[in-house]
Amino acid sequence: MTGLNQRAGNWIDGLRLIVRRTKPAARHAKKLTDLEKRTGWRYAIVATSIRRIHGVPGSHHPQWLDALHRSHAGVQDQVRTNKAIGLRNLPSKSWTVNRGWVLAANIAADLAAWTRLLGLHDQPDLAHAEPGTLRYRLLHLPAKLTTHARRRTLSISIPGPGPTRSNSAGNA
């Protein structure tokens, strides 16, 4: 595609366009262009200035560069997930407070990833769930903590019809 682009004269030397053609999945149906709807193919274009990586045989082939850029999508997905967990807004103008916030947000992202990998691998709707879905489905439990006679009681509502279950939380 690089030789077909009329605007390539304004771009940096060595820039290449790589086009990948795939059958669209159902989730892409709303975002297809008119050309993609007409042809029945979905097109993804990558612009890269990588010519060859020294010491890596085959790194000059377009297929290798396409695989390299597709693998980077996993990194971009993690950045999006970390922003959803708490990195979008830093709470302070203080470097020290924001450094602690970033650490806490990264720990939360790691815990969510390990929870999905180890605890939810057999749940098809939660194994690859977004942070908002995990928050809603796992962490939002209606409960009430009450104290009577120096004893704390945690009442967790069971979803659906039926009584509530009470667990004693001890004297914490």
Side-chain angles (χ1 to χ4, degrees), residues 141-144 153-159 162-168:
L141 291 174
K144 183 169 48 172
T153 304
L154 177 64
S155 300
I156 301 175
S157 298
I158 297 174
T164 59
R165 175 180 62 210
S166 295
N167 297 330
S168 177

Side-chain angles (χ1 to χ4, degrees), residues 1-3 14-21 44-53 56-71:
M1 286 291 297
T2 305
L15 189 71
R16 296 164 64 183
L17 295 177
I18 300 171
V19 179
R20 177 180 173 82
R21 182 178 83 160
I45 301 172
V46 173
T48 182
S49 61
I50 298 174
R51 284 288 183 194
R52 153 184 322 267
I53 297 177
V56 179
S59 62
H60 64 284
H61 293 295
Q63 296 87 348
W64 189 89
L65 292 171
D66 180 49
L68 177 70
H69 283 280
R70 279 188 290 125
S71 69

Side-chain angles (χ1 to χ4, degrees), residues 38-98:
R38 200 169 53 248
T39 61
W41 292 98
R42 182 172 171 261
Y43 300 95
I45 301 172
V46 173
T48 182
S49 61
I50 298 174
R51 284 288 183 194
R52 153 184 322 267
I53 297 177
H54 182 70
V56 179
S59 62
H60 64 284
H61 293 295
Q63 296 87 348
W64 189 89
L65 292 171
D66 180 49
L68 177 70
H69 283 280
R70 279 188 290 125
S71 69
H72 190 68
V75 174
Q76 293 171 346
D77 190 43
Q78 282 303 109
V79 169
R80 183 182 48 77
T81 301
N82 285 7
K83 284 182 178 180
I85 287 180
L87 285 182
R88 180 164 284 123
N89 299 321
L90 296 176
S92 175
K93 292 181 180 178
S94 166
W95 170 257
T96 307
V97 172
N98 286 339

